[in-house]
């Protein structure tokens, strides 16, 4: 009788938790088997406390089943691993019949050996340089297909792995090195490439994070400026509404005065009429006909009717005419706002597309190691980034007086009648500009006077009250300034002062690169002479700010 054969697959002896061949197998009440450690770890999880389920069929057991090694299954698994049915691992090249598991491979012999044949190999080649490595089944791939010799050399000329015989024949005279030397060279090159890639990725990540902050800051500044402009527009509309209301009230008072004058006249005539009517009634009772005729001639009854005001024309002017005019104004305003909003939207989209193209060009430039963040050099270059800034009267110290359409400011001995405002500087003679900045910006300032001036920038949340350093431009961590006088020039930031060797001219140019984190001050003439440049990281939009000493004046240049 022929012996029965059973086909067994490795998956039949795998634990469904770790997906490896069963180790110390146990069988739980539902019939499924697992590694002892795997099922215990599974049941020790917090979710299994009190109720213990099978990872496969989800049957729940309570109380927790006692686990014992399934000796029969364990022996079957052990025999399966010892048999040739288990495909994992490298097999001995020397064994005949059922091959044992190899433990080492010899690069010189291109063979793999089990423990017994490895001992024989060491006895046969004792003292010879046979390099042994962990068992590998890829040794045949490392033999020359033509000469059956180990590929121990690398031909750099042809970029091929060759044996010693190849070097003497087809690769004679080529640049050939040992695979060890080539491996070291390639490994070094890969490590350098890896380090370079890692550094490039880190630089890219740093730049992208800065781009995110830059976009947020730029948007915040734009939103703030938009709110300021629309608030101004709303105030203008409210002012026009008030003037229209006053005009209508004036017309109302004039028309009512005319009507009331006619009403008063009518009432006087009514009194006269009643007096004449009473006299007539008295004469009517007399029997003296001559007396009646003599007295009745003095009685007068007005027959003329007062001319009434033309209320239809007034009503048409005050309601229908005004309503039509306002309807036309509303339509015109809506059309203008829609047209201008579309124009602004087109500019924003155009800027976005330009930004995307610039980002693409910048990436190409970086890949080619070409600098793309070059700073402007000439005044014409700087003027491309000119920002027409305006002063904010709500921030001005009371001793500052405006001129030139609020583009100029001077410190006076007497305070100005400014209304209270939380943004106003209470002690220092300082003023800020209206809008925040978060891009590349350039502006110029002219100054004069023995009191000197300070020209700088600050964050919006810099303190405005008190005479301490927290509210003094350049003397805290939230502001930067260039102090200018006829005798000296210095840069101030966070209570630290840096003397500037050159003297300040009467016209100072300020260049801000928000994203690049640079703030530069220049003497402006035919050339741009750098006075001072600071490198930092801006964390929020900045506002141009100025301090003006007593007797000095400052003016924003319109370019």
């Amino acid at each position: 009788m022929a012996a029965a054969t059973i086909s067994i697959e490795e998956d039949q002896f795998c634990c469904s938790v770790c997906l490896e061949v069963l180790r110390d197998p146990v069988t739980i009440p539902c019939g499924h088997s697992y590694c002892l450690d795997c099922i215990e770890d599974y049941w020790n999880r917090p979710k299994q406390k009190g109720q213990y389920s099978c990872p496969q069929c989800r049957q729940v057991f309570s109380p927790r089943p006692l686990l014992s090694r399934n000796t029969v299954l364990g022996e079957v698994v052990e025999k399966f691993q010892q048999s040739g049915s288990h495909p994992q691992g490298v097999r001995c090249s020397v064994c005949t019949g059922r091959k044992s598991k190899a433990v080492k491979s010899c690069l010189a012999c291109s063979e793999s050996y089990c423990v017994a044949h490895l001992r024989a190999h060491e006895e046969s080649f004792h003292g010879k340089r046979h390099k042994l490595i962990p068992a590998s089944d890829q040794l045949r791939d490392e033999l020359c297909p033509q000469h059956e010799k180990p590929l121990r050399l690398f031909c750099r000329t042809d970029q091929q792995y060759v044996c010693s015989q190849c070097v003497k024949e087809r690769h004679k005279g080529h640049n050939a090195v040992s695979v060890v030397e080539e491996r070291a060279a390639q490994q070094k090159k890969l490590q350098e490439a890896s380090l370079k890639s890692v550094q490039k990725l880190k630089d890219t990540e740093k730049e992208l994070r800065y781009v995110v902050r830059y976009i947020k800051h730029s948007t915040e500044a734009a939103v703030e400026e938009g709110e300021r402009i629309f608030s101004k527009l709303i105030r203008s509309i409210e002012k026009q509404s008030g003037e229209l209301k006053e005009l209508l009230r004036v017309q109302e008072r004039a028309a009512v005065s005319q009507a009331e004058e006619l009403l008063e006249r009518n009432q006087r005539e009514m009194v006269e009429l009643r007096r004449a009517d009473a006299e007539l009634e008295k004469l009517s009772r007399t029997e003296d006909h001559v007396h009646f005729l003599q007295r009745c001639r003095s009685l007068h009854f007005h027959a003329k009717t007062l001319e009434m005001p033309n209320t239809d024309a007034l009503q048409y002017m005050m309601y229908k005419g005004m309503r039509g005019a306002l309807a036309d104004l509303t339509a015109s305003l809506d059309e203008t706002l829609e047209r201008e909003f579309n124009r602004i939207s087109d500019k924003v989209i155009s800027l976005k597309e330009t930004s995307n193209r610039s980002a693409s060009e910048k990436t190409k430039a970086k890949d080619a190691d070409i600098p793309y963040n070059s700073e402007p050099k000439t005044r014409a270059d700087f003027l491309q980034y000119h920002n027409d800034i305006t002063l904010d009267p709500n921030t001005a110290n009371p001793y500052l007086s405006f001129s030139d359409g609020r583009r100029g400011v001077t410190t006076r001995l007497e305070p100005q009648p400014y209304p209270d405002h939380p943004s106003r500087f209470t002690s220092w003679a300082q003023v800020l500009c209206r809008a925040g900045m978060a891009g590349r910006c350039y502006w110029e300032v002219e100054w004069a006077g023995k009191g000197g001036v300070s020209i700088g920038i600050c964050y919006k949340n810099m303190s405005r009250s008190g005479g301490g350093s927290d509210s003094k431009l350049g003397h805290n961590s939230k502001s930067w300034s260039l102090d200018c006088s006829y005798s000296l020039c210095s840069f101030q930031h966070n209570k630290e002062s840096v003397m500037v060797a050159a003297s300040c001219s009467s016209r100072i140019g300020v260049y801000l690169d928000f994203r690049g984190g640079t703030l530069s001050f220049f003497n402006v003439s035919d050339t741009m002479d750098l006075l001072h440049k600071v490198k930092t990281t801006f964390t929020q939009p900045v506002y141009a700010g100025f301090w003006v000493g007593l007797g000095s004046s400052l003016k924003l240049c319109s370019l």
Side-chain angles (χ1 to χ4, degrees):
M1 183 177 180
T5 60
I6 301 176
S7 176
I8 300 177
E9 299 294 336
E10 182 182 2
D11 291 345
Q12 296 176 260
F13 297 105
C14 285
C15 171
S16 61
V17 176
C18 66
L19 304 179
E20 300 288 345
V21 176
L22 290 165
R23 301 182 304 277
D24 295 330
V26 295
T27 303
I28 61 177
C30 63
H32 291 112
S33 299
Y34 303 94
C35 301
L36 176 61
D37 292 340
C38 291
I39 192 63
E40 284 187 340
D41 290 343
Y42 182 80
W43 281 349
N44 287 335
R45 296 176 183 175
K47 292 183 179 180
Q48 296 291 323
K49 293 296 183 182
Q51 290 185 337
Y52 306 96
S53 62
C54 173
Q56 287 182 267
C57 66
R58 304 300 179 186
Q59 182 175 342
V60 178
F61 313 107
S62 184
R64 178 171 176 165
L66 296 175
L67 300 176
S68 299
R69 186 176 187 275
N70 189 328
T71 55
V72 175
L73 180 58
E75 291 176 359
V76 173
V77 172
E78 186 176 350
K79 290 182 179 180
F80 169 75
Q81 289 179 315
Q82 292 176 353
S83 69
S85 302
H86 185 52
Q88 293 185 351
V90 180
R91 296 301 161 186
C92 179
S93 305
V94 183
C95 289
T96 58
R98 190 178 71 181
K99 295 184 176 292
S100 301
K101 182 179 180 180
V103 293
K104 293 288 184 179
S105 296
C106 177
L107 293 178
C109 302
S110 299
E111 300 285 355
S112 299
Y113 304 103
C114 62
V115 175
H117 289 110
L118 177 62
R119 190 179 302 112
H121 173 272
E122 292 179 343
E123 291 176 355
S124 300
F125 299 98
H126 181 67
K128 296 184 178 180
R129 295 183 179 179
H130 280 212
K131 176 136 178 106
L132 295 175
I133 62 172
S136 172
D137 56 0
Q138 298 180 352
L139 291 180
R140 296 301 302 176
D141 296 337
E142 299 177 4
L143 290 179
C144 176
Q146 183 177 0
H147 303 107
E148 291 293 323
K149 290 186 176 183
L151 299 172
R152 298 178 181 176
L153 301 171
F154 181 78
C155 178
R156 290 179 173 175
T157 304
D158 295 332
Q159 293 292 302
Q160 291 180 356
Y161 296 99
V162 296
C163 66
S164 57
Q165 191 65 30
C166 292
V167 174
K168 297 176 181 179
E169 297 176 357
R170 293 185 297 110
H171 298 269
K172 186 176 181 180
H174 289 185
N175 181 14
V177 296
S178 67
V179 291
V180 175
E181 183 180 347
E182 180 63 19
R183 181 236 171 106
Q186 292 294 335
Q187 186 171 344
K188 182 180 179 181
K189 184 184 297 185
L190 290 173
Q191 288 173 342
E192 291 175 351
S194 175
L195 291 174
K196 187 175 181 181
S197 297
V198 169
Q199 187 60 45
K200 182 175 289 188
L201 290 175
K202 288 182 178 179
D203 293 342
T204 301
E205 179 182 358
K206 181 179 179 181
E207 183 175 353
L208 288 175
R209 291 187 184 279
Y210 192 90
V211 165
V212 171
R213 294 199 304 272
Y214 173 73
I215 291 172
K216 290 182 178 180
H217 294 333
S218 300
T219 304
E220 181 181 347
V223 168
E224 183 177 319
E225 180 67 3
E227 289 178 348
R228 185 188 68 80
I229 293 174
F230 273 101
S231 296
K232 184 177 180 180
L233 179 62
I234 291 171
R235 288 195 299 271
S236 177
I237 293 174
E238 290 175 345
K239 179 182 177 183
Q240 296 297 326
S241 174
E243 292 178 354
L244 175 62
K245 187 185 297 183
E246 181 61 26
L247 176 63
L248 293 175
R249 292 301 184 193
V250 169
Q251 297 296 327
E252 176 194 28
R253 288 194 293 270
V256 168
S257 177
Q258 181 185 5
E260 288 179 343
E261 182 180 345
L262 292 175
L263 179 61
E264 184 179 352
R265 179 181 173 185
N266 187 74
Q267 289 175 345
R268 288 196 303 269
E269 292 181 355
M270 180 65 73
V271 171
E272 290 294 325
L273 177 63
R274 287 174 181 171
R275 188 186 61 78
D277 191 55
E279 184 70 20
L280 176 62
E281 185 179 356
K282 181 179 178 181
L283 286 175
S284 297
R285 290 194 297 268
T286 185
E287 296 181 357
D288 188 345
H289 301 302
V290 175
H291 178 70
F292 178 85
L293 292 173
Q294 288 177 342
R295 296 293 298 169
C296 72
R297 293 177 181 178
S298 62
L299 298 179
H300 298 283
F301 294 95
H302 294 279
K304 186 177 180 180
T305 304
L306 293 177
E307 184 177 354
M308 301 299 293
N310 186 358
T311 55
D312 291 338
L314 183 64
Q315 181 185 16
Y316 180 83
M317 181 197 72
M318 295 184 63
Y319 182 71
K320 293 183 179 179
M322 180 203 69
R323 184 179 181 185
L326 289 180
D328 293 342
L329 175 62
T330 302
S332 175
L333 183 60
D334 289 341
E335 181 181 350
T336 301
L337 288 176
E338 183 178 2
R339 182 178 66 252
E340 293 302 313
F341 182 78
N342 291 335
R343 186 171 65 87
I344 294 171
S345 299
D346 291 341
K347 282 189 175 181
V348 172
I349 294 173
S350 177
L351 286 173
K352 180 180 178 182
E353 292 174 349
T354 302
S355 175
N356 290 338
R357 288 196 300 270
S358 298
S360 176
E361 293 168 359
K362 183 196 300 181
T363 302
K364 293 177 181 177
K366 285 189 69 176
D367 291 341
D369 293 328
I370 299 174
Y372 60 90
N373 252 351
S374 58
E375 290 191 353
K377 303 297 182 184
T378 66
R379 187 162 181 262
D381 295 337
F382 283 102
L383 291 180
Q384 294 179 12
Y385 304 103
H386 174 250
N387 192 9
D388 191 17
I389 58 179
T390 56
L391 299 174
D392 184 1
N394 291 329
T395 66
N397 179 269
Y399 287 88
L400 292 178
S401 175
F402 289 101
S403 61
D404 297 322
R406 291 182 178 173
R407 299 188 66 86
V409 64
T410 304
T411 302
R412 303 295 186 186
L413 289 172
E414 297 296 330
Q416 306 299 308
Y418 298 144
D420 292 337
H421 198 281
S423 299
R424 193 174 306 286
F425 288 102
T426 60
S427 297
W428 298 104
Q430 297 176 155
V431 62
L432 300 183
C433 286
R434 290 181 178 273
M437 295 176 285
R440 284 189 175 190
C441 302
Y442 176 75
W443 62 98
E444 292 182 359
V445 177
E446 287 186 344
W447 70 277
K450 296 181 179 180
V453 297
S454 292
I455 303 167
I457 60 173
C458 70
Y459 293 144
K460 187 177 183 179
N461 60 356
M462 188 181 81
S463 177
R464 310 298 172 88
S465 60
S469 59
D470 288 345
S471 59
K472 180 70 169 76
L473 192 67
H475 289 252
N476 51 69
S477 62
K478 299 178 180 179
S479 62
W480 300 256
S481 74
L482 184 74
D483 292 355
C484 303
S485 69
Y486 291 149
S487 57
L488 56 86
C489 179
S490 63
F491 175 78
Q492 309 289 336
H493 174 62
N494 200 18
K495 299 181 181 180
E496 294 184 1
S497 179
V498 178
M499 296 303 299
V500 178
S503 59
C504 297
S505 68
S506 60
R507 193 179 186 101
I508 302 296
V510 185
Y511 174 67
L512 168 71
D513 184 351
F514 185 91
R515 181 178 176 185
T518 59
L519 175 66
S520 306
F521 299 90
F522 298 87
N523 275 337
V524 179
S525 57
D526 294 336
T527 59
M528 300 292 292
D529 299 323
L530 179 64
L531 290 170
H532 188 76
K533 178 178 179 180
V534 61
K535 181 74 175 178
T536 185
T537 299
F538 299 111
T539 59
Q540 54 184 291
V542 295
Y543 291 73
F546 310 95
W547 170 84
V548 183
L550 183 62
S552 294
S553 62
L554 180 143
K555 180 182 177 181
L556 300 178
C557 300
S558 178
L559 304 177

